PDB file of all heavy atoms in Angstrom:
ATOM      1  N   SER B 897      61.260  76.506 -15.954  1.00  0.00           N
ATOM      2  CA  SER B 897      62.179  77.512 -15.532  1.00  0.00           C
ATOM      3  C   SER B 897      63.129  77.960 -16.694  1.00  0.00           C
ATOM      4  O   SER B 897      63.277  77.207 -17.652  1.00  0.00           O
ATOM      5  CB  SER B 897      63.110  76.997 -14.359  1.00  0.00           C
ATOM      6  OG  SER B 897      63.571  75.719 -14.663  1.00  0.00           O
ATOM      7  N   TYR B 898      63.672  79.128 -16.549  1.00  0.00           N
ATOM      8  CA  TYR B 898      64.727  79.587 -17.452  1.00  0.00           C
ATOM      9  C   TYR B 898      66.002  79.029 -16.964  1.00  0.00           C
ATOM     10  O   TYR B 898      66.335  79.179 -15.742  1.00  0.00           O
ATOM     11  CB  TYR B 898      64.747  81.114 -17.541  1.00  0.00           C
ATOM     12  CG  TYR B 898      63.609  81.826 -18.176  1.00  0.00           C
ATOM     13  CD1 TYR B 898      63.512  83.200 -18.022  1.00  0.00           C
ATOM     14  CD2 TYR B 898      62.681  81.213 -18.996  1.00  0.00           C
ATOM     15  CE1 TYR B 898      62.544  83.947 -18.589  1.00  0.00           C
ATOM     16  CE2 TYR B 898      61.715  81.906 -19.575  1.00  0.00           C
ATOM     17  CZ  TYR B 898      61.560  83.248 -19.365  1.00  0.00           C
ATOM     18  OH  TYR B 898      60.519  83.979 -19.969  1.00  0.00           O
ATOM     19  N   VAL B 899      66.854  78.525 -17.875  1.00  0.00           N
ATOM     20  CA  VAL B 899      68.257  78.254 -17.515  1.00  0.00           C
ATOM     21  C   VAL B 899      68.938  79.623 -17.195  1.00  0.00           C
ATOM     22  O   VAL B 899      68.696  80.555 -17.943  1.00  0.00           O
ATOM     23  CB  VAL B 899      68.959  77.552 -18.689  1.00  0.00           C
ATOM     24  CG1 VAL B 899      70.467  77.568 -18.490  1.00  0.00           C
ATOM     25  CG2 VAL B 899      68.410  76.128 -18.960  1.00  0.00           C
ATOM     26  N   ASP B 900      69.659  79.624 -16.157  1.00  0.00           N
ATOM     27  CA  ASP B 900      70.434  80.846 -15.867  1.00  0.00           C
ATOM     28  C   ASP B 900      71.808  80.414 -15.413  1.00  0.00           C
ATOM     29  O   ASP B 900      72.020  79.991 -14.266  1.00  0.00           O
ATOM     30  CB  ASP B 900      69.787  81.657 -14.763  1.00  0.00           C
ATOM     31  CG  ASP B 900      70.721  82.667 -14.184  1.00  0.00           C
ATOM     32  OD1 ASP B 900      71.694  83.090 -14.844  1.00  0.00           O
ATOM     33  OD2 ASP B 900      70.496  83.110 -13.020  1.00  0.00           O
ATOM     34  N   LEU B 901      72.779  80.556 -16.296  1.00  0.00           N
ATOM     35  CA  LEU B 901      74.215  80.182 -15.964  1.00  0.00           C
ATOM     36  C   LEU B 901      75.088  81.467 -15.818  1.00  0.00           C
ATOM     37  O   LEU B 901      76.276  81.392 -16.035  1.00  0.00           O
ATOM     38  CB  LEU B 901      74.778  79.263 -16.963  1.00  0.00           C
ATOM     39  CG  LEU B 901      74.118  77.843 -17.099  1.00  0.00           C
ATOM     40  CD1 LEU B 901      74.940  76.956 -18.050  1.00  0.00           C
ATOM     41  CD2 LEU B 901      73.927  77.191 -15.775  1.00  0.00           C
ATOM     42  N   LEU B 902      74.457  82.536 -15.446  1.00  0.00           N
ATOM     43  CA  LEU B 902      75.155  83.757 -15.236  1.00  0.00           C
ATOM     44  C   LEU B 902      76.268  83.606 -14.208  1.00  0.00           C
ATOM     45  O   LEU B 902      77.409  83.994 -14.410  1.00  0.00           O
ATOM     46  CB  LEU B 902      74.260  84.930 -14.892  1.00  0.00           C
ATOM     47  CG  LEU B 902      74.804  86.315 -14.863  1.00  0.00           C
ATOM     48  CD1 LEU B 902      75.296  86.741 -16.159  1.00  0.00           C
ATOM     49  CD2 LEU B 902      73.680  87.281 -14.407  1.00  0.00           C
ATOM     50  N   PRO B 903      75.872  83.018 -13.034  1.00  0.00           N
ATOM     51  CA  PRO B 903      76.943  82.820 -11.963  1.00  0.00           C
ATOM     52  C   PRO B 903      78.065  81.894 -12.445  1.00  0.00           C
ATOM     53  O   PRO B 903      79.123  81.835 -11.839  1.00  0.00           O
ATOM     54  CB  PRO B 903      76.153  82.248 -10.809  1.00  0.00           C
ATOM     55  CG  PRO B 903      74.722  82.572 -11.073  1.00  0.00           C
ATOM     56  CD  PRO B 903      74.590  82.565 -12.562  1.00  0.00           C
ATOM     57  N   GLU B 904      77.767  81.044 -13.428  1.00  0.00           N
ATOM     58  CA  GLU B 904      78.706  80.024 -13.879  1.00  0.00           C
ATOM     59  C   GLU B 904      79.546  80.466 -15.053  1.00  0.00           C
ATOM     60  O   GLU B 904      80.426  79.772 -15.589  1.00  0.00           O
ATOM     61  CB  GLU B 904      77.993  78.735 -14.255  1.00  0.00           C
ATOM     62  CG  GLU B 904      77.420  77.949 -13.027  1.00  0.00           C
ATOM     63  CD  GLU B 904      76.112  78.511 -12.520  1.00  0.00           C
ATOM     64  OE1 GLU B 904      75.557  79.485 -13.104  1.00  0.00           O
ATOM     65  OE2 GLU B 904      75.619  77.972 -11.500  1.00  0.00           O
ATOM     66  N   THR B 905      79.336  81.723 -15.534  1.00  0.00           N
ATOM     67  CA  THR B 905      80.054  82.140 -16.809  1.00  0.00           C
ATOM     68  C   THR B 905      81.531  82.104 -16.658  1.00  0.00           C
ATOM     69  O   THR B 905      82.247  81.617 -17.616  1.00  0.00           O
ATOM     70  CB  THR B 905      79.590  83.542 -17.263  1.00  0.00           C
ATOM     71  OG1 THR B 905      79.684  84.433 -16.105  1.00  0.00           O
ATOM     72  CG2 THR B 905      78.230  83.575 -17.781  1.00  0.00           C
ATOM     73  N   ALA B 906      82.085  82.500 -15.544  1.00  0.00           N
ATOM     74  CA  ALA B 906      83.534  82.509 -15.376  1.00  0.00           C
ATOM     75  C   ALA B 906      84.075  81.106 -15.489  1.00  0.00           C
ATOM     76  O   ALA B 906      85.076  80.854 -16.197  1.00  0.00           O
ATOM     77  CB  ALA B 906      83.887  83.120 -14.036  1.00  0.00           C
ATOM     78  N   ARG B 907      83.368  80.115 -14.867  1.00  0.00           N
ATOM     79  CA  ARG B 907      83.920  78.759 -14.992  1.00  0.00           C
ATOM     80  C   ARG B 907      83.753  78.233 -16.404  1.00  0.00           C
ATOM     81  O   ARG B 907      84.624  77.555 -16.905  1.00  0.00           O
ATOM     82  CB  ARG B 907      83.105  77.873 -14.006  1.00  0.00           C
ATOM     83  CG  ARG B 907      83.641  76.460 -14.000  1.00  0.00           C
ATOM     84  CD  ARG B 907      83.058  75.682 -12.796  1.00  0.00           C
ATOM     85  NE  ARG B 907      83.329  74.235 -13.004  1.00  0.00           N
ATOM     86  CZ  ARG B 907      82.640  73.291 -12.425  1.00  0.00           C
ATOM     87  NH1 ARG B 907      81.686  73.589 -11.534  1.00  0.00           N
ATOM     88  NH2 ARG B 907      82.892  72.030 -12.604  1.00  0.00           N
ATOM     89  N   LEU B 908      82.633  78.591 -17.039  1.00  0.00           N
ATOM     90  CA  LEU B 908      82.378  78.117 -18.381  1.00  0.00           C
ATOM     91  C   LEU B 908      83.544  78.607 -19.307  1.00  0.00           C
ATOM     92  O   LEU B 908      84.114  77.821 -20.121  1.00  0.00           O
ATOM     93  CB  LEU B 908      81.051  78.623 -18.978  1.00  0.00           C
ATOM     94  CG  LEU B 908      79.820  77.872 -18.486  1.00  0.00           C
ATOM     95  CD1 LEU B 908      78.586  78.714 -18.794  1.00  0.00           C
ATOM     96  CD2 LEU B 908      79.734  76.509 -19.141  1.00  0.00           C
ATOM     97  N   ILE B 909      83.904  79.850 -19.203  1.00  0.00           N
ATOM     98  CA  ILE B 909      84.927  80.492 -20.013  1.00  0.00           C
ATOM     99  C   ILE B 909      86.293  79.837 -19.646  1.00  0.00           C
ATOM    100  O   ILE B 909      87.081  79.495 -20.545  1.00  0.00           O
ATOM    101  CB  ILE B 909      84.956  81.996 -19.856  1.00  0.00           C
ATOM    102  CG1 ILE B 909      83.641  82.577 -20.393  1.00  0.00           C
ATOM    103  CG2 ILE B 909      86.137  82.638 -20.527  1.00  0.00           C
ATOM    104  CD1 ILE B 909      83.359  84.002 -19.937  1.00  0.00           C
ATOM    105  N   GLY B 910      86.485  79.687 -18.351  1.00  0.00           N
ATOM    106  CA  GLY B 910      87.769  79.071 -17.938  1.00  0.00           C
ATOM    107  C   GLY B 910      87.867  77.643 -18.481  1.00  0.00           C
ATOM    108  O   GLY B 910      88.988  77.197 -18.735  1.00  0.00           O
ATOM    109  N   ASP B 911      86.772  76.977 -18.642  1.00  0.00           N
ATOM    110  CA  ASP B 911      86.822  75.575 -19.200  1.00  0.00           C
ATOM    111  C   ASP B 911      86.876  75.518 -20.682  1.00  0.00           C
ATOM    112  O   ASP B 911      86.845  74.397 -21.244  1.00  0.00           O
ATOM    113  CB  ASP B 911      85.561  74.804 -18.674  1.00  0.00           C
ATOM    114  CG  ASP B 911      85.735  74.434 -17.207  1.00  0.00           C
ATOM    115  OD1 ASP B 911      86.839  74.399 -16.711  1.00  0.00           O
ATOM    116  OD2 ASP B 911      84.660  74.100 -16.554  1.00  0.00           O
ATOM    117  N   GLY B 912      86.931  76.647 -21.345  1.00  0.00           N
ATOM    118  CA  GLY B 912      87.130  76.717 -22.793  1.00  0.00           C
ATOM    119  C   GLY B 912      85.899  76.892 -23.635  1.00  0.00           C
ATOM    120  O   GLY B 912      85.954  76.791 -24.886  1.00  0.00           O
ATOM    121  N   VAL B 913      84.765  77.215 -23.000  1.00  0.00           N
ATOM    122  CA  VAL B 913      83.520  77.549 -23.772  1.00  0.00           C
ATOM    123  C   VAL B 913      83.771  78.969 -24.369  1.00  0.00           C
ATOM    124  O   VAL B 913      84.129  79.885 -23.729  1.00  0.00           O
ATOM    125  CB  VAL B 913      82.309  77.536 -22.863  1.00  0.00           C
ATOM    126  CG1 VAL B 913      81.066  78.068 -23.664  1.00  0.00           C
ATOM    127  CG2 VAL B 913      82.018  76.166 -22.357  1.00  0.00           C
ATOM    128  N   THR B 914      83.532  79.068 -25.685  1.00  0.00           N
ATOM    129  CA  THR B 914      83.779  80.297 -26.412  1.00  0.00           C
ATOM    130  C   THR B 914      82.588  81.155 -26.739  1.00  0.00           C
ATOM    131  O   THR B 914      82.666  82.363 -26.983  1.00  0.00           O
ATOM    132  CB  THR B 914      84.465  79.993 -27.796  1.00  0.00           C
ATOM    133  OG1 THR B 914      83.610  79.147 -28.521  1.00  0.00           O
ATOM    134  CG2 THR B 914      85.806  79.247 -27.547  1.00  0.00           C
ATOM    135  N   HIS B 915      81.405  80.486 -26.672  1.00  0.00           N
ATOM    136  CA  HIS B 915      80.127  81.211 -27.032  1.00  0.00           C
ATOM    137  C   HIS B 915      79.041  80.921 -26.034  1.00  0.00           C
ATOM    138  O   HIS B 915      78.828  79.704 -25.673  1.00  0.00           O
ATOM    139  CB  HIS B 915      79.626  80.779 -28.387  1.00  0.00           C
ATOM    140  CG  HIS B 915      80.454  81.214 -29.560  1.00  0.00           C
ATOM    141  ND1 HIS B 915      81.785  80.817 -29.662  1.00  0.00           N
ATOM    142  CD2 HIS B 915      80.236  81.960 -30.657  1.00  0.00           C
ATOM    143  CE1 HIS B 915      82.286  81.365 -30.800  1.00  0.00           C
ATOM    144  NE2 HIS B 915      81.292  82.089 -31.373  1.00  0.00           N
ATOM    145  N   LEU B 916      78.398  81.957 -25.554  1.00  0.00           N
ATOM    146  CA  LEU B 916      77.327  81.760 -24.525  1.00  0.00           C
ATOM    147  C   LEU B 916      75.998  82.142 -25.255  1.00  0.00           C
ATOM    148  O   LEU B 916      75.775  83.275 -25.815  1.00  0.00           O
ATOM    149  CB  LEU B 916      77.575  82.731 -23.379  1.00  0.00           C
ATOM    150  CG  LEU B 916      78.919  82.538 -22.628  1.00  0.00           C
ATOM    151  CD1 LEU B 916      79.045  83.517 -21.468  1.00  0.00           C
ATOM    152  CD2 LEU B 916      79.120  81.137 -22.123  1.00  0.00           C
ATOM    153  N   ARG B 917      75.032  81.243 -25.176  1.00  0.00           N
ATOM    154  CA  ARG B 917      73.768  81.398 -25.961  1.00  0.00           C
ATOM    155  C   ARG B 917      72.640  81.831 -25.078  1.00  0.00           C
ATOM    156  O   ARG B 917      72.364  81.210 -24.096  1.00  0.00           O
ATOM    157  CB  ARG B 917      73.426  80.114 -26.656  1.00  0.00           C
ATOM    158  CG  ARG B 917      72.070  80.156 -27.448  1.00  0.00           C
ATOM    159  CD  ARG B 917      71.759  78.872 -28.152  1.00  0.00           C
ATOM    160  NE  ARG B 917      72.698  78.715 -29.265  1.00  0.00           N
ATOM    161  CZ  ARG B 917      72.447  77.980 -30.399  1.00  0.00           C
ATOM    162  NH1 ARG B 917      71.247  77.481 -30.590  1.00  0.00           N
ATOM    163  NH2 ARG B 917      73.408  77.795 -31.313  1.00  0.00           N
ATOM    164  N   LEU B 918      71.986  82.910 -25.491  1.00  0.00           N
ATOM    165  CA  LEU B 918      70.798  83.343 -24.820  1.00  0.00           C
ATOM    166  C   LEU B 918      69.617  82.941 -25.748  1.00  0.00           C
ATOM    167  O   LEU B 918      69.633  83.164 -26.904  1.00  0.00           O
ATOM    168  CB  LEU B 918      70.725  84.895 -24.706  1.00  0.00           C
ATOM    169  CG  LEU B 918      72.044  85.564 -24.193  1.00  0.00           C
ATOM    170  CD1 LEU B 918      71.882  87.080 -24.338  1.00  0.00           C
ATOM    171  CD2 LEU B 918      72.296  85.134 -22.760  1.00  0.00           C
ATOM    172  N   MET B 919      68.630  82.263 -25.143  1.00  0.00           N
ATOM    173  CA  MET B 919      67.440  81.803 -25.983  1.00  0.00           C
ATOM    174  C   MET B 919      66.372  82.950 -25.841  1.00  0.00           C
ATOM    175  O   MET B 919      66.058  83.365 -24.741  1.00  0.00           O
ATOM    176  CB  MET B 919      66.901  80.506 -25.554  1.00  0.00           C
ATOM    177  CG  MET B 919      67.791  79.326 -25.914  1.00  0.00           C
ATOM    178  SD  MET B 919      68.069  79.190 -27.730  1.00  0.00           S
ATOM    179  CE  MET B 919      66.493  78.593 -28.304  1.00  0.00           C
TER     180      MET B 919
END
Side-chain angles (χ1 to χ4, degrees):
Chain B
S897 48
Y898 290 166
V899 169
D900 165 24
L901 297 187
L902 189 62
E904 287 81 4
T905 48
R907 183 168 166 200
L908 284 165
I909 294 164
D911 283 342
V913 173
T914 58
H915 291 61
L916 304 179
R917 177 177 294 207
L918 315 173
M919 287 302 286

